[in-house]
Amino acid sequence: MKLNEQGLADRAQWEAKGYSLPRFDREKVKAATYENPFWVHFGAGNIFRAFQANIAQNLLNEGILDRGIIVVEGFDYEIVEKMNWPHDDYTILATLKANGTVDKTVVGGVVESHILDSQNEAEYGRLKEIFSKDSLQMCTFTITEKGYSLVNGRGEIIPDIAADFEEGPAQPKSYIGKVASLLYTRYQAGEKPIAMVSTDNCSHNGDKLKAAITAFAEKWAANGKVEAGFEAYIKESGKVSFPWSMIDKITPRPDASVEQILKEDGVEELEPVITSKHTYVAPFVNAEETEYLVIEDDFPNGRPALEKGGVMFTTRETVDKVEKMKVCTCLNPLHTCLAVFGCILGYTKISDEMNDPELKKLVEVVGYKEGLPVVVNPGILDPKEFIDTVLQVRVPNPFMPDTPQRIATDTSQKLAIRFGETIKAYQASDELDVKDLKLIPLVFAGWLRYMMAVNDNGEAFELSPDPLTDTVRPYVEKLTLGGTVDAEALRPILENTKIFGVNLYDVDMADTVVGYLQQMIAGPGAVRKTLQEALN
């Protein structure tokens, strides 16, 4: 059983092993997509393969769509070269349910794939052709929040982007420069309308994408590298929209236990690949059953009926409420709590942490008691029901191979939105008092303790990647178990609003954080003891 057109020709063999297969004429869909593409997606990673690609498949199966998705990979070309092309753009989706069952689906919703290489005439030429088509309605993105940044962690403009600003849209080197270049192709083809839809897991994602694209349009216009009207096309014409969205589906990296299930079914050539850019990819993805995608309904060239596949379309204001509900209270902060303390306490599975009485209580109090009072109900999703699902179904799912180490990645970039917004809401409230927040400062102290890279047994461990590791580590690496915290030495970190969203001194939280940190470095076992005392 090989995952490609030839291997899937024997449908009965796959179906006998419990696989759901595409139920549409894929060759017909491919031909229609080639002639009249309507949906391009940037970012060929796991979340896309498990979510958007499967939405397209379901709608193709039902006859609601007659064309599929064209996926483009701009960060790591090997994903497409080593996964998409050898497998004819098919993926196996293993949906890991909390009851222990696994749904196995061969996803064929992607029917064309490309690398975003402006030096490759054939690949880039095809992308220009696609962007010239009247039929193209939208581009979606899962390139991570870092993908939209034009500067590095020190605030310096990235060299490739600086070069692209000067050299123009002919052969850009940077990811966003190439996307802006393709939009310039669309502009030159007749100022055709399009929706550019970020579905990355970050606040006001559409604005981040718009700011990045706009920067190129402005620089190229100022440098005389594009026609004068291009800047207005992006910024003012109403022909290019940048809707906000909220996405939520946990999709850990492909797990060996899932690989083994598929191998026992007889599926061949499943071995994962670690690319030269350290991306871990496989012919299959594993994901939870729960999924949410809420998008601002702003599509200048029309859109497909994705609501029939579970996507919720609404206003920008409602997307903002849903996003804040999830990112600031109902999921992301709880994940960060478990990530930070899970790493320190030696856990390697998020689900196992929900069997730990202290960690379970920690996320319950942070979610229900400290966060929920300041959540605005968006109407289309209920905040308490959302947390209930997170803490009772999603995070405890023992079959989801998610790790605190994965979630701990880039924590310095997450604390401000995941906790800082709650602190600000308490500040702004006439009925609530910031001093009532007992466990959010505990999490801040836990993160500083985590940045020591020493677990609760006193053993060194490897920190997850974070752009501010080199900035924060000098302030905490001198701390020792049994030592003393020098509050003044930590002041530059504690008053850093970019990290915490607020100056912890201004909200009278710095002393509490330092106090918790002092308790946590008392010696081996001190983190566990501090948790127990704080929760009682």
Side-chain angles (χ1 to χ4, degrees):
M1 294 167 64
K2 290 189 177 181
L3 185 67
N4 54 33
E5 292 285 7
Q6 186 176 357
L8 287 162
D10 186 353
R11 293 178 64 91
Q13 185 181 24
W14 288 83
E15 289 170 344
K17 296 290 186 177
Y19 289 79
S20 299
L21 302 181
R23 300 195 307 273
F24 53 91
D25 184 334
R26 198 158 183 258
E27 287 306 310
K28 184 178 178 182
V29 166
K30 284 169 78 170
T33 305
Y34 191 88
E35 287 302 316
N36 291 296
F38 76 103
W39 182 356
V40 170
H41 182 89
F42 289 94
N46 292 333
I47 180 69
F48 163 73
R49 295 162 70 203
F51 199 172
Q52 290 95 330
N54 195 43
I55 289 174
Q57 161 126 325
N58 291 335
L59 295 177
L60 284 162
N61 283 342
E62 295 171 24
I64 294 165
L65 292 182
D66 60 358
R67 290 159 292 164
I69 303 177
I70 297 169
V71 72
V72 182
E73 177 54 39
F75 171 70
D76 192 339
Y77 300 159
E78 289 179 63
I79 295 174
V80 164
E81 293 166 343
K82 294 183 177 179
M83 282 301 138
N84 286 72
W85 292 346
H87 296 287
D88 296 328
D89 291 319
Y90 285 108
T91 293
I92 296 173
L93 167 60
T95 302
L96 311 177
K97 298 189 174 183
N99 65 5
T101 61
V102 180
D103 281 357
K104 299 172 293 190
T105 306
V106 174
V107 178
V110 174
V111 294
E112 192 176 329
S113 54
H114 297 283
I115 58 173
L116 188 62
D117 183 359
S118 62
Q119 306 295 312
N120 185 316
E121 194 172 324
E123 288 291 294
Y124 212 63
R126 171 58 181 156
L127 291 175
K128 285 185 170 183
E129 180 185 9
I130 291 165
F131 270 76
S132 300
K133 295 274 191 176
D134 291 345
S135 58
L136 185 60
Q137 294 178 312
M138 64 184 194
C139 294
T140 50
F141 293 77
T142 49
I143 63 174
T144 77
E145 184 170 3
K146 288 182 287 188
Y148 306 107
S149 182
L150 307 183
V151 297
N152 62 22
R154 296 182 294 277
E156 303 157 344
I157 190 160
I158 295 166
D160 278 354
I161 288 168
D164 287 349
F165 282 167
E166 293 299 318
E167 294 167 15
Q171 284 192 318
K173 301 180 182 70
S174 65
Y175 201 132
I176 294 295
K178 295 169 191 173
V179 175
S181 162
L182 292 171
L183 279 174
Y184 186 54
T185 297
R186 190 160 186 78
Y187 166 81
Q188 290 179 306
E191 301 184 34
K192 294 174 181 177
I194 191 168
M196 305 293 284
V197 190
S198 169
T199 59
D200 272 298
N201 183 17
C202 55
S203 178
H204 300 174
N205 45 20
D207 284 355
K208 287 180 168 60
L209 175 57
K210 182 177 183 179
I213 296 290
T214 299
F216 279 90
E218 291 173 344
K219 290 288 187 182
W220 287 345
N223 293 334
K225 297 295 183 181
V226 293
E227 295 174 22
F230 179 58
E231 183 178 353
Y233 169 70
I234 296 296
K235 292 166 65 174
E236 301 157 11
S237 68
K239 294 179 179 178
V240 184
S241 68
F242 296 89
W244 292 3
S245 74
M246 188 286 289
I247 190 169
D248 185 16
K249 185 177 182 73
I250 299 171
T251 311
R253 86 178 200 175
D255 190 74
S257 64
V258 176
E259 182 183 345
Q260 188 58 36
I261 291 170
L262 305 183
K263 278 184 175 176
E264 288 173 2
D265 287 340
V267 183
E268 303 169 53
E269 299 173 358
L270 283 170
E271 291 70 25
V273 170
I274 299 175
T275 71
S276 57
K277 289 196 173 182
H278 309 294
T279 308
Y280 189 100
V281 289
F284 65 93
V285 289
N286 35 242
E288 66 172 339
E289 183 177 15
T290 305
E291 59 188 26
Y292 306 92
L293 181 54
V294 183
I295 303 177
E296 176 189 357
D297 201 353
D298 183 8
F299 290 77
N301 200 28
R303 63 168 176 80
L306 299 184
E307 66 272 16
K308 294 180 180 177
V311 179
M312 290 174 269
F313 290 96
T314 184
T315 63
R316 172 168 288 204
E317 181 184 22
T318 302
V319 173
D320 190 40
K321 290 177 181 176
V322 171
E323 188 262 332
K324 284 180 177 172
M325 179 198 79
K326 175 212 165 194
V327 174
C328 304
T329 305
C330 297
L331 174 64
N332 297 33
L334 313 183
H335 257 163
T336 293
C337 294
L338 295 172
V340 166
F341 285 103
C343 290
I344 299 170
L345 296 174
Y347 283 98
T348 56
K349 279 188 75 174
I350 283 286
S351 57
D352 289 344
E353 293 187 63
M354 293 303 287
N355 297 319
D356 184 309
E358 278 86 46
L359 296 181
K360 184 173 184 286
K361 188 173 181 181
L362 171 67
V363 290
E364 289 173 346
V365 174
V366 169
Y368 292 116
K369 185 176 178 182
E370 297 193 348
L372 203 54
V374 294
V375 170
V376 177
N377 190 328
I380 59 174
L381 291 170
D382 179 80
K384 184 180 180 300
E385 290 178 7
F386 195 98
I387 297 182
D388 290 344
T389 302
V390 167
L391 295 184
Q392 296 169 23
V393 178
R394 301 176 68 186
V395 178
N397 183 346
F399 305 98
M400 277 291 293
D402 210 359
T403 69
Q405 290 75 21
R406 181 189 78 85
I407 296 168
T409 301
D410 300 338
T411 300
S412 71
Q413 310 297 291
K414 300 170 179 175
L415 296 171
I417 185 70
R418 296 187 179 190
F419 301 100
E421 294 303 309
T422 294
I423 296 170
K424 290 175 189 175
Y426 270 71
Q427 278 185 293
S429 172
D430 294 328
E431 301 170 4
L432 300 167
D433 190 338
V434 174
K435 291 186 175 64
D436 293 333
L437 295 173
K438 304 298 184 188
L439 297 191
I440 286 177
L442 179 74
V443 178
F444 289 166
W447 176 65
L448 292 169
R449 174 66 181 79
Y450 160 85
M451 291 299 288
M452 289 171 61
V454 176
N455 69 21
D456 202 27
N457 294 327
E459 303 157 339
F461 68 86
E462 184 178 348
L463 295 172
S464 299
D466 191 304
L468 290 190
T469 295
D470 292 341
T471 302
V472 178
R473 280 281 291 157
Y475 293 94
V476 298
E477 62 187 355
K478 293 176 185 174
L479 296 175
T480 58
L481 297 191
T484 302
V485 177
D486 182 345
E488 274 307 300
L490 280 178
R491 179 178 280 271
I493 299 298
L494 299 174
E495 62 187 14
N496 190 327
T497 58
K498 288 186 177 179
I499 293 178
F500 297 109
V502 293
N503 180 326
L504 297 184
Y505 288 95
D506 290 348
V507 296
D508 294 326
M509 196 175 279
D511 290 345
T512 305
V513 172
V514 170
Y516 279 136
L517 182 59
Q518 181 63 66
Q519 289 177 252
M520 289 184 193
I521 67 166
V527 174
R528 172 66 69 183
K529 185 179 178 185
T530 303
L531 272 170
Q532 291 169 339
E533 291 174 356
L535 290 163
N536 287 332

